[in-house]
Amino acid sequence: MIYVMSDLHGYCLDRIKSTLERIGFSDSDYCYVLGDVIDRGFEGVKILRWLMTQPNITLLLGNHEAMMLSCSFLFDEITDESVRNLSATQIQTLSLWTRNGGKTTIDGMQAVPAGARKYIIEFLRKSHLYETVSIGDRDFLLTHSGIDNFEPDKKLCDYNVNDFLWARPTLDTRYYDSIITVFGHTPTLLFGYEYDGKPVITDTWIDIDAGAAAGRRPIILRLDDMKYFTMDHL
Ligand SMILES: [Mn+2]
């Protein structure tokens, strides 16, 4: 069976693992994580390192991983001189990331050996922006934020990277008629209090961000039967 989760934002890795165990996630199942595993919470780097070892879990990039990648200049070797030599653009990029909760990830990266940092960055560089999966006769497009500047006939490869990372769909947004677009990024609560802790499911898309960035518990959705599970408590 195929599961999706999103926007873990440094949620406790042990709770993620215990939830997967509780719901019976096995080697023959597959899980996609739709980005934003890092920042705000404390265990983002730990989650990344765990994901790197999971053969049946795939990470797609979120805007937070993209911000981390654009700050990869930080992770080579941090010395007084390298900090003094940051360019104005690098300082701006770094400031955008720290304003978005990047501090916990920077601390997490500093706590791992330089060699391991290199592999984490490599892993993110190889991660994709979207993925398509089919279950029976249903097709799904998985991506972090939905699709900005959406046009039904436009090819996926013709979109701008940021269109998959920073979109803010509304309840009126419609994507493809015959492919369900699944994403996170916008906490479902923002669509109305009735969606608190639940996915939002419309005709053409599903949002699964239950709001871990604001201290809520993430959810895992099983695409085969649309059953969702709330993660174990911290
Ligand atoms: Mn996001």
Side-chain angles (χ1 to χ4, degrees):
M1 287 186 277
I2 297 179
Y3 294 82
V4 283
M5 54 178 153
S6 189
D7 297 83
L8 300 169
H9 282 300
Y11 201 73
C12 173
L13 178 59
D14 281 342
R15 294 290 80 78
I16 297 169
K17 288 182 185 170
S18 65
T19 308
L20 287 170
E21 207 177 297
R22 170 167 60 84
I23 67 177
F25 182 74
S26 76
D27 293 349
S28 58
D29 295 317
Y30 209 92
C31 182
Y32 291 90
V33 182
L34 311 186
D36 283 5
V37 309
I38 54 163
D39 296 351
R40 306 200 204 279
F42 292 98
E43 305 219 335
V45 173
K46 219 168 140 180
I47 301 173
L48 282 179
R49 296 185 79 186
W50 171 70
L51 288 174
M52 289 164 69
T53 66
Q54 299 306 301
N56 58 337
I57 306 183
T58 290
L59 172 72
L60 300 180
L61 285 180
N63 55 310
H64 284 263
E65 284 81 24
M67 285 188 279
M68 179 177 178
L69 272 180
S70 58
C71 290
S72 57
F73 55 81
L74 278 182
F75 303 122
D76 298 336
E77 199 188 352
I78 305 168
T79 61
D80 287 348
E81 205 193 343
S82 69
V83 171
R84 255 199 317 274
N85 289 340
L86 291 181
S87 70
T89 316
Q90 285 174 325
I91 290 168
Q92 255 177 9
T93 312
L94 178 58
S95 136
L96 173 72
W97 189 28
T98 51
R99 274 184 282 125
N100 280 283
K103 175 81 171 67
T104 53
T105 304
I106 295 170
D107 291 346
M109 285 292 270
Q110 269 166 347
V112 300
R117 288 203 290 267
K118 200 179 83 185
Y119 286 112
I120 295 169
I121 295 296
E122 271 312 299
F123 171 69
L124 290 180
R125 285 215 174 98
K126 286 186 199 145
S127 298
H128 295 179
L129 286 167
Y130 53 82
E131 201 74 61
T132 53
V133 293
S134 299
I135 301 175
D137 57 357
R138 288 173 307 150
D139 297 322
F140 299 89
L141 170 67
L142 316 176
T143 190
H144 178 62
S145 70
I147 311 167
D148 212 1
N149 301 301
F150 176 75
E151 292 167 42
D153 297 326
K154 189 157 142 184
K155 286 188 192 139
L156 287 176
C157 58
D158 288 338
Y159 283 93
N160 187 295
V161 169
N162 285 334
D163 289 340
F164 299 106
L165 296 176
W166 295 92
R168 285 289 179 207
T170 67
L171 284 178
D172 298 328
T173 301
R174 284 194 69 82
Y175 292 132
Y176 303 100
D177 287 331
S178 53
I179 306 168
I180 302 282
T181 306
V182 186
F183 53 83
H185 184 63
T186 300
T188 58
L189 183 63
L190 295 186
F191 294 107
Y193 279 106
E194 63 270 40
Y195 299 114
D196 192 6
K198 299 176 187 162
V200 176
I201 302 180
T202 76
D203 284 354
T204 67
W205 56 259
I206 300 170
D207 178 6
I208 58 164
D209 177 6
R216 291 179 150 73
R217 290 151 72 189
I219 55 175
I220 305 179
L221 176 70
R222 186 161 64 205
L223 293 177
D224 302 70
D225 59 2
M226 291 295 163
K227 189 170 160 56
Y228 73 91
F229 308 87
T230 305
M231 290 230 183
D232 291 346
H233 264 300
L234 285 179

